[in-house]
Structures are given as structure tokens and as C-alpha cells.
Amino acid sequence: MERDAAALPQVMLAALALLLAAPDAPQVSTSDGIVAGSAMPGASIFRGIPFAAPPTGDLRWKAPQPVTPWQGVRADKPDAPACLQNDYGWNRGDYLRSAEDCLTLDVRTPDVAGKRPVMVWIHGGSNRAGSARGTVQSRITDQGVVLVAVQYRLGIFGFLPHRGAAAETAGTAGNYGLMDQIAALKWVRANIAKFGGDPANVTIFGETAGSQDASLLLAAPQARGLFAKAILESGTPGFGMPFRPLAEALAIGDQADKLLDTGGSIAELRKRPAQALLAADLKLADASLFTNDYLWLRTTIDGAVLPRSPRDLLAMAPKRPVIIGSNRAEFGPGPGEADWPVVLAKTFGTNAARARAFYRLDDPARTDDPRLGPPELEYSTDWIFRCPAGRLADLLAGKGAPVWRYEFDAARDGGRTSHAAEIDYVLGTAHFAPDLQLQDYWVGFAKTGDPNRAGLPPWPRFDPQGQRHVLFDAAGVTPGGKLREPICSMLEAL
């Protein structure tokens, strides 16, 4: 029986008005099936889209396989799981919602019609944790780009090199997480036009491990032709560590065999429960590292994705525009926690005494720089982030690639910056100075291959001679020359 609308309770009227005003859920037909999204103010988002088959069972430690096409409409999945990971505290939310079946991506687009630049985010987390969750809540798409955020296998599932796996693939093993990222980029190339994106104008960008992985994709022959540009936020191919030869990397797989009593069989390892593998991951070690927190950040030359040293591969790779940078202060041990004779000798070798003098470790009058922090933080930021970023910029610009380098020094409370602090200024709404966001430079770069755009302070291009960069801080955009000489001249690693 019909009723007069005026007789309905006000709360029901409000709900009815919202329902009538809500746009229909958008749908897109991909190469694997139809996906439904959710309408947001000024955008549509599509979450949990599979780009590869579940890497479980016999597909553990193998290259990603094609998706089985589905019938009907696949619903938007805002709670798609993170890739399986241990609980390190800082990633507890991702840990609680993680699973092996995780090779999905999210898309946010202003409109499924059109041909916009595409920005593909690779999340950080030391290649052992984290997820793409929440990235597509960013309104960066208001500036006329399509945003994609990808998931990839982590830790022991994503980066373990094993002799049995190598025997199946002509002697190559490891870096399955990088293979996942390449598979995601192939999905983007095949499908993003239906989401309003331009497959010929794709920029990959990421932070920490995501930045490292993006730099390795610049090197990887298998990734050529899948993206046009890259933005690297606080991460380089090796984070200042030497690359890991495959023969050395396979010894980590031997440790896993011993811990899980597999007798060296990859078939047996594939049968082990996921939780047993996660427990084993916590016990794996690399004797060359200060801490095994970096176990999956030390890059393995696997023979497939990285057939040679990343340095050599980058020298041979196509010239593509790149933004490279790091934060003024990243992370490091607390005051008094560094064993200076050991860490300086290991990092600087015969230059250890010069480095000790640079950091004024024996100067009783030394005071901490308010922006750089105590010497432990200065040292860690230099050798893990700042100096490798300079070396990578040198390498790429030296072969003629357009490169822009930055240092970021801002925090919402005005205090010292920290690791990952820049993300809110890229994907969020934070301004580092009045009317200035990193997002504006990043989007300009994604659109044209040059971060400079009308209305923004100029950002001079990096060159090997002057090594120009800009400092983003509360004062605005300040051009500068060489960063942290002479300490960075003592370090050669990427």
C-alpha cells in the first residue's frame, strides 16, 4: 500500500534521499571478468581485483600464474587481505587480516571514461610486512590521475631463494614479490584504459621497500615497457648494502629446510603450514647484516628478474625520468646504542677514522643537530638512505636520464622529520609550507615527466657535476648542491 511521503519519519526520509542521490555502483569489464566498484565523491574505487592466481600450494615460490576468469560480477572488496606476514607490532592491522591468497590490486579513478596518467603505488614494509590497504582513499585523483595500489608476496613467501625452486627454473630462484609487481604492471597495461587510465603513461612510485622495489623494476629487463617513469621515496636498490649473490642467498633456503625438516625438498616445503613458515621466517639470518630486520631488503641477484647486478642492469636500462629522494632524518639506533668501532669499520672500511671525525664522535663539545638528530641517526640516514640516493641519481643522470633529487624535512608538529613522514604530503593533504604539497610536484611529474608546473617554485634537474637537489621544508623549496659531502664520497653502494 502506498503511503504519503510526508508521513514517513524524518530519519527514513533522510535515508531515502541519500539512496536516491547515490550513483549506481560502477562496473568495468576486465580481461578476467567484470568488477564492480564503489562510488565516492568525485571518484570510483575498485578494490581486491585479482591480477594473478592465488600463490598457494604448488604455486608457492613460483612465478605468478594467470587468474582463472570468473563469471558474473565480482564485488568491490574493501577488506581484501594483506599478504601473509608476521606481527612486528607496527603492522598489527595488516597481520590480523593477512592471507596467502593476496595477489590483488585496488584502483581509484575520477571517471572510467578518459585517458589519464596512471600512478602505481608499491607499499613499503621492509619486504616483509605492510599492504596496499587504504591507499585508494587518497584524493590525489582529484588532480586528474588514476591511482593503482598493488599487493605482493612478502618475507619468506615472496623472497626466499631455494635450491629446489632453482632446479625447476634453470637455476634461478627468489624475488617472487618482484615478479608479482611485474604481473600487476602487466595487468595495468592490459586493463587500465577501461578505468580511464593511459597505459602508455604509467608512473610507479613507492616508499622504503616500495621505493627499493621500484628502483629494481627500473633495472629489471622483464619490466621494460610496463611503465614510463618512477618516483623513489627513501629507498634504493640496496639500501647501502652489497647485493646478495644467488649462491649466498640459497644458503638462506638451506636454513629454512633445516628449521622445517624438509630434507632439502621444495615439494615438502610447499606442504608446510603457513604458520610454520612464518615462524621459520623469524629465525632466518644473514650473517653479513647488522640486523635481520633487513633480511629481505638485501637484494638477491636471482638470475631471473635480476640476471645481473642491479648496478649493471641500471646502466643498461632505458633512460626514464626519475624522482629520487629521502627524508632529512629517517631512522636509526638510539643514542648510545651504536657499537661505533664495529659499524664504522663495516660501513666505511679504511675510511672509518675519517667517518668518525666527520660525525665528531670524540668531540666533547658536540651537540646534536636539531634537524639531523644524534650521530646514530645521522649515520643511519646517511648510509642507508641519503648517500645511496645520491649514488643512484649519479648513475642514472650520468647516462642521460632526467633526474630530480630532493630532501624532505617537514612534520605536522614542526618537529624533526622521520621515516615515511613524506607519505602524508604525497597521498594526503598535508602542506610542508603554505600552499605547497609534494603531491603537486608528484602529479606534475606523472603527467609530463617533469615535476615543474605553473605556480610552483622551480625544481632544477639533477646533474652529475653540480648534483643539484631541492630541500622541501617549512621555508618552501630551496635549491642546493651536493648533499652531505664528504661523508657520501666515502660510500659507493646503491
Side-chain angles (χ1 to χ4, degrees):
M1 183 176 63
E2 294 182 2
R3 296 179 59 191
D4 185 346
L8 291 174
Q10 286 299 110
V11 66
M12 294 181 66
L13 282 172
L16 179 62
L18 286 173
L19 181 63
L20 293 174
D24 294 335
Q27 293 186 2
V28 171
S29 179
T30 75
S31 54
D32 301 306
I34 300 172
V35 295
S38 296
M40 308 290 287
S44 297
I45 58 175
F46 302 80
R47 291 165 289 193
I49 305 172
F51 63 83
T56 57
D58 289 342
L59 295 185
R60 279 179 177 169
W61 303 295
K62 288 185 179 179
Q65 299 300 303
V67 171
T68 300
W70 60 86
Q71 300 297 316
V73 179
R74 186 179 178 89
D76 181 34
K77 296 185 179 296
D79 293 319
C83 284
L84 208 57
Q85 55 197 269
N86 278 302
D87 184 1
Y88 302 103
W90 52 266
N91 66 316
R92 186 161 181 79
D94 288 326
Y95 160 75
L96 290 173
R97 45 174 291 280
S98 63
E100 266 194 278
D101 182 359
C102 64
L103 297 185
T104 63
L105 53 77
D106 301 342
V107 179
R108 181 186 179 103
T109 179
D111 195 315
V112 296
K115 194 175 182 181
R116 299 171 185 82
V118 181
M119 301 183 71
V120 179
W121 175 255
I122 304 172
H123 72 80
S126 300
N127 279 335
R128 61 177 182 161
S131 78
R133 189 180 192 187
T135 303
V136 292
Q137 297 302 323
S138 170
R139 297 196 62 161
I140 193 172
T141 55
D142 290 354
Q143 296 212 44
V145 298
V146 174
L147 177 64
V148 181
V150 306
Q151 309 243 112
Y152 55 97
R153 281 173 282 182
L154 301 166
I156 193 172
F157 298 95
F159 294 90
L160 179 75
H162 190 276
R163 297 181 195 278
E168 298 173 341
T169 53
T172 67
N175 288 335
Y176 306 103
L178 292 178
M179 295 180 195
D180 296 339
Q181 294 167 22
I182 291 171
L185 289 171
K186 289 179 178 178
W187 184 97
V188 168
R189 182 180 60 187
N191 292 284
I192 205 63
K194 295 182 179 180
F195 293 82
D198 181 358
N201 190 7
V202 174
T203 300
I204 58 173
F205 70 132
E207 185 269 343
T208 318
S211 176
Q212 178 192 49
D213 294 350
S215 73
L216 294 173
L217 293 176
L218 281 168
Q222 294 180 16
R224 291 179 187 174
L226 298 178
F227 64 95
K229 305 177 287 294
I231 302 173
L232 312 179
E233 302 172 25
S234 300
T236 54
F239 283 105
M241 296 176 283
F243 304 125
R244 183 187 283 137
L246 183 57
E248 183 181 335
L250 290 171
I252 300 174
D254 296 341
Q255 293 177 43
D257 282 328
K258 186 174 182 180
L259 287 165
L260 293 160
D261 192 26
T262 65
S265 166
I266 188 66
E268 287 300 315
L269 197 63
R270 287 179 176 134
K271 294 177 185 176
R272 292 296 185 265
Q275 291 304 313
L277 290 164
L278 285 175
D281 195 346
L282 295 173
K283 299 176 182 178
L284 299 175
D286 180 334
S288 74
L289 300 176
F290 291 131
T291 168
N292 284 306
D293 290 348
Y294 302 162
L295 180 67
W296 305 120
L297 286 180
R298 187 179 172 207
T299 297
T300 293
I301 303 172
D302 63 290
V305 180
L306 301 173
R308 300 175 59 177
S309 159
R311 185 186 291 269
D312 294 340
L313 292 171
L314 285 165
M316 298 184 294
K319 293 181 286 189
R320 286 164 287 194
V322 179
I323 288 175
I324 300 172
S326 55
N327 295 342
R328 184 74 167 163
E330 296 273 2
F331 62 67
E337 294 180 359
D339 186 344
W340 287 114
V342 172
V343 300
L344 293 180
K346 196 165 187 175
T347 308
F348 294 96
T350 57
N351 287 317
R354 288 178 59 205
R356 189 177 186 93
F358 178 87
Y359 292 115
R360 299 174 59 194
L361 298 179
D362 300 312
D363 183 354
R366 185 195 192 282
T367 58
D368 295 345
D369 184 289
R371 307 309 300 169
L372 295 169
E376 292 84 356
L377 181 55
E378 282 193 51
Y379 156 78
S380 293
T381 300
D382 283 336
W383 83 266
I384 299 173
F385 299 100
R386 186 158 35 230
C387 298
R391 289 295 172 202
L392 182 58
D394 268 338
L395 188 159
L396 297 177
K399 67 174 194 172
V403 174
W404 288 266
R405 189 182 179 193
Y406 74 89
E407 184 161 69
F408 181 75
D409 188 12
R412 280 186 178 269
D413 62 0
R416 185 187 302 142
T417 192
S418 59
H419 189 57
E422 86 290 347
I423 294 177
D424 192 26
Y425 298 78
V426 173
L427 293 172
T429 59
H431 292 70
F432 61 87
D435 300 320
L436 290 175
Q437 285 184 285
L438 291 184
Q439 184 181 113
D440 294 332
Y441 285 100
W442 269 224
V443 169
F445 178 80
K447 289 181 175 180
T448 69
D450 186 329
N452 291 288
R453 55 195 287 194
L456 295 179
W459 183 350
R461 183 168 153 177
F462 180 93
D463 66 279
Q465 291 72 41
Q467 298 186 14
R468 293 181 294 177
H469 74 285
V470 294
L471 174 65
F472 295 116
D473 67 4
V477 181
T478 306
K482 296 180 179 181
L483 267 173
R484 296 289 280 175
E485 293 290 348
I487 198 68
C488 286
S489 66
M490 303 180 201
L491 296 167
E492 290 297 328
L494 297 177

